[in-house]
Coordinates of all heavy atoms in Angstrom, one line a residue:
M1 N -111.7 -50.4 100.6 CA -110.2 -50.7 100.7 C -109.9 -51.3 102.1 O -109.2 -52.3 102.2 CB -109.4 -49.5 100.5 CG -107.9 -49.5 100.7 SD -107.1 -50.5 99.5 CE -107.0 -49.2 98.2
V2 N -110.4 -50.6 103.2 CA -110.1 -51.1 104.5 C -110.6 -52.5 104.7 O -110.0 -53.3 105.3 CB -110.7 -50.1 105.6 CG1 -110.6 -50.6 107.0 CG2 -110.0 -48.7 105.4
S3 N -111.9 -52.7 104.4 CA -112.5 -54.0 104.6 C -111.8 -55.1 103.8 O -111.7 -56.2 104.3 CB -114.0 -54.0 104.2 OG -114.2 -53.6 102.9
I4 N -111.3 -54.8 102.6 CA -110.6 -55.8 101.8 C -109.3 -56.2 102.5 O -109.0 -57.4 102.6 CB -110.3 -55.2 100.4 CG1 -111.6 -55.0 99.6 CG2 -109.3 -56.1 99.6 CD1 -111.4 -54.3 98.3
F5 N -108.5 -55.2 102.9 CA -107.3 -55.5 103.6 C -107.5 -56.3 104.9 O -106.7 -57.2 105.3 CB -106.4 -54.3 103.8 CG -105.6 -53.9 102.6 CD1 -106.1 -52.9 101.7 CD2 -104.4 -54.5 102.3 CE1 -105.5 -52.5 100.6 CE2 -103.7 -54.1 101.2 CZ -104.2 -53.1 100.3
K6 N -108.5 -55.9 105.6 CA -108.8 -56.6 106.8 C -109.2 -58.1 106.6 O -108.7 -59.0 107.3 CB -110.0 -55.9 107.6 CG -110.3 -56.5 108.9 CD -111.3 -55.7 109.6 CE -111.7 -56.2 111.0 NZ -112.7 -55.4 111.7
A7 N -110.0 -58.3 105.5 CA -110.4 -59.7 105.2 C -109.2 -60.5 104.8 O -109.0 -61.7 105.1 CB -111.4 -59.6 104.1
V8 N -108.3 -59.9 104.0 CA -107.1 -60.6 103.5 C -106.2 -61.0 104.7 O -105.7 -62.2 104.8 CB -106.3 -59.7 102.6 CG1 -104.9 -60.3 102.3 CG2 -107.1 -59.6 101.2
L9 N -105.9 -60.1 105.6 CA -105.1 -60.4 106.8 C -105.7 -61.5 107.7 O -105.0 -62.3 108.2 CB -104.9 -59.1 107.7 CG -104.0 -58.0 107.1 CD1 -104.1 -56.8 108.0 CD2 -102.6 -58.6 107.0
N10 N -107.0 -61.5 107.8 CA -107.6 -62.5 108.8 C -107.9 -63.8 108.1 O -108.4 -64.8 108.8 CB -108.9 -61.9 109.3 CG -108.6 -60.8 110.4 OD1 -108.3 -61.2 111.5 ND2 -108.7 -59.6 110.0
T11 N -107.8 -64.0 106.8 CA -108.2 -65.2 106.2 C -107.0 -65.9 105.4 O -107.0 -67.2 105.4 CB -109.3 -65.0 105.1 OG1 -108.9 -64.1 104.1 CG2 -110.6 -64.5 105.8
I12 N -106.0 -65.3 105.0 CA -104.9 -65.9 104.3 C -103.7 -66.1 105.2 O -103.3 -65.1 105.8 CB -104.5 -65.0 103.0 CG1 -105.7 -64.8 102.1 CG2 -103.3 -65.6 102.3 CD1 -105.4 -64.0 100.9
P13 N -103.2 -67.3 105.2 CA -102.0 -67.5 106.2 C -100.8 -66.6 105.8 O -100.6 -66.3 104.6 CB -101.7 -69.0 105.9 CG -103.0 -69.6 105.4 CD -103.6 -68.5 104.6
R14 N -100.1 -66.2 106.9 CA -99.0 -65.3 106.7 C -97.9 -65.7 105.7 O -97.4 -64.9 104.9 CB -98.3 -65.1 108.0 CG -97.4 -63.8 108.0 CD -96.7 -63.7 109.4 NE -97.7 -63.7 110.5 CZ -98.1 -62.6 111.0 NH1 -97.7 -61.4 110.6 NH2 -99.0 -62.6 112.0
P15 N -97.5 -67.0 105.6 CA -96.5 -67.4 104.6 C -97.0 -67.2 103.2 O -96.2 -66.8 102.3 CB -96.3 -69.0 104.9 CG -96.6 -69.1 106.4 CD -97.8 -68.1 106.6
I16 N -98.3 -67.4 103.0 CA -98.8 -67.2 101.6 C -98.8 -65.7 101.3 O -98.5 -65.3 100.2 CB -100.2 -67.8 101.5 CG1 -100.2 -69.3 101.6 CG2 -100.8 -67.4 100.1 CD1 -101.5 -70.0 101.6
L17 N -99.1 -64.9 102.3 CA -99.1 -63.4 102.1 C -97.8 -62.9 101.8 O -97.6 -62.1 100.9 CB -99.6 -62.7 103.3 CG -101.2 -62.8 103.6 CD1 -101.4 -62.1 105.0 CD2 -101.9 -62.1 102.5
I18 N -96.7 -63.5 102.4 CA -95.4 -63.1 102.1 C -95.0 -63.3 100.7 O -94.4 -62.5 100.0 CB -94.4 -63.8 103.1 CG1 -94.6 -63.2 104.5 CG2 -93.0 -63.5 102.7 CD1 -93.8 -64.0 105.6
K19 N -95.3 -64.5 100.2 CA -95.0 -64.9 98.8 C -95.7 -64.0 97.8 O -95.2 -63.6 96.9 CB -95.3 -66.4 98.6 CG -94.4 -67.3 99.4 CD -94.7 -68.8 99.1 CE -93.8 -69.8 99.9 NZ -94.2 -71.2 99.6
A20 N -97.0 -63.8 98.1 CA -97.8 -63.1 97.2 C -97.5 -61.6 97.1 O -97.6 -60.9 96.1 CB -99.3 -63.2 97.6
S21 N -96.9 -61.1 98.2 CA -96.6 -59.7 98.2 C -95.6 -59.3 97.2 O -95.5 -58.2 96.7 CB -96.1 -59.3 99.6 OG -94.9 -59.9 99.9
Y22 N -94.7 -60.2 96.9 CA -93.6 -59.9 95.9 C -94.2 -59.6 94.6 O -93.6 -58.8 93.8 CB -92.6 -61.0 95.8 CG -91.7 -61.1 97.0 CD1 -91.9 -62.0 98.1 CD2 -90.5 -60.3 97.0 CE1 -91.0 -62.0 99.1 CE2 -89.7 -60.3 98.1 CZ -89.9 -61.2 99.2 OH -89.1 -61.2 100.2
W23 N -95.3 -60.1 94.2 CA -96.0 -59.9 92.9 C -96.9 -58.6 93.0 O -96.9 -57.9 92.1 CB -96.8 -61.1 92.5 CG -96.0 -62.3 92.3 CD1 -95.7 -63.3 93.2 CD2 -95.3 -62.7 91.1 NE1 -94.9 -64.3 92.7 CE2 -94.7 -63.9 91.4 CE3 -95.2 -62.1 89.8 CZ2 -93.9 -64.6 90.4 CZ3 -94.4 -62.8 88.9 CH2 -93.8 -64.0 89.2
V24 N -97.5 -58.5 94.1 CA -98.6 -57.4 94.3 C -97.9 -56.0 94.5 O -98.4 -55.0 94.1 CB -99.6 -57.8 95.3 CG1 -100.6 -56.6 95.5 CG2 -100.3 -59.0 95.0
R25 N -96.8 -56.0 95.3 CA -96.3 -54.8 95.8 C -95.9 -53.8 94.7 O -96.3 -52.6 94.9 CB -95.0 -55.1 96.5 CG -94.3 -53.9 97.2 CD -93.2 -54.4 98.1 NE -92.3 -55.3 97.6 CZ -91.3 -55.9 98.3 NH1 -91.1 -55.6 99.5 NH2 -90.5 -56.7 97.7
P26 N -95.3 -54.1 93.6 CA -95.0 -53.1 92.6 C -96.2 -52.4 92.0 O -96.1 -51.2 91.7 CB -94.2 -53.9 91.5 CG -93.7 -55.1 92.2 CD -94.8 -55.4 93.2
V27 N -97.3 -53.2 91.8 CA -98.5 -52.6 91.2 C -99.1 -51.6 92.2 O -99.5 -50.5 91.8 CB -99.5 -53.7 90.9 CG1 -100.8 -53.1 90.4 CG2 -98.9 -54.7 89.9
I28 N -99.2 -51.9 93.4 CA -99.8 -51.0 94.4 C -98.9 -49.8 94.6 O -99.4 -48.7 94.7 CB -100.0 -51.7 95.8 CG1 -101.0 -52.9 95.6 CG2 -100.5 -50.8 96.8 CD1 -101.2 -53.7 96.9
A29 N -97.6 -50.0 94.6 CA -96.7 -48.8 94.7 C -96.9 -47.8 93.6 O -96.9 -46.6 93.8 CB -95.3 -49.3 94.8
W30 N -97.0 -48.3 92.4 CA -97.3 -47.5 91.2 C -98.6 -46.7 91.3 O -98.7 -45.6 91.1 CB -97.2 -48.3 89.9 CG -97.7 -47.5 88.7 CD1 -96.9 -46.7 88.0 CD2 -99.0 -47.5 88.2 NE1 -97.6 -46.2 87.0 CE2 -98.9 -46.6 87.1 CE3 -100.2 -48.1 88.5 CZ2 -100.0 -46.3 86.3 CZ3 -101.3 -47.8 87.7 CH2 -101.2 -47.0 86.6
W31 N -99.6 -47.5 91.8 CA -100.9 -46.9 91.9 C -101.1 -45.8 92.9 O -101.8 -44.8 92.7 CB -101.9 -48.1 92.2 CG -103.3 -47.7 92.4 CD1 -104.1 -46.9 91.6 CD2 -104.2 -48.1 93.5 NE1 -105.4 -46.8 92.2 CE2 -105.5 -47.5 93.3 CE3 -104.0 -48.9 94.6 CZ2 -106.5 -47.7 94.2 CZ3 -105.1 -49.1 95.5 CH2 -106.3 -48.5 95.2
L32 N -100.3 -45.9 94.0 CA -100.4 -44.9 95.1 C -99.3 -43.9 95.1 O -99.2 -43.1 96.0 CB -100.4 -45.7 96.4 CG -101.6 -46.5 96.8 CD1 -101.4 -47.3 98.1 CD2 -102.8 -45.7 96.8
K33 N -98.5 -43.8 94.1 CA -97.4 -42.8 94.1 C -97.9 -41.4 94.2 O -99.0 -41.0 93.7 CB -96.5 -43.0 92.7 CG -97.3 -42.7 91.5 CD -96.4 -42.9 90.3 CE -97.1 -42.7 89.0 NZ -96.2 -43.0 87.8

């Protein structure tokens, strides 16, 4: 998990991360409740 998030932060431009987060966020929130 840690290595995945580190790789994402260091390789994907911030504007793309912001847009993608709107789709990914609900799934992760449900998974970690």
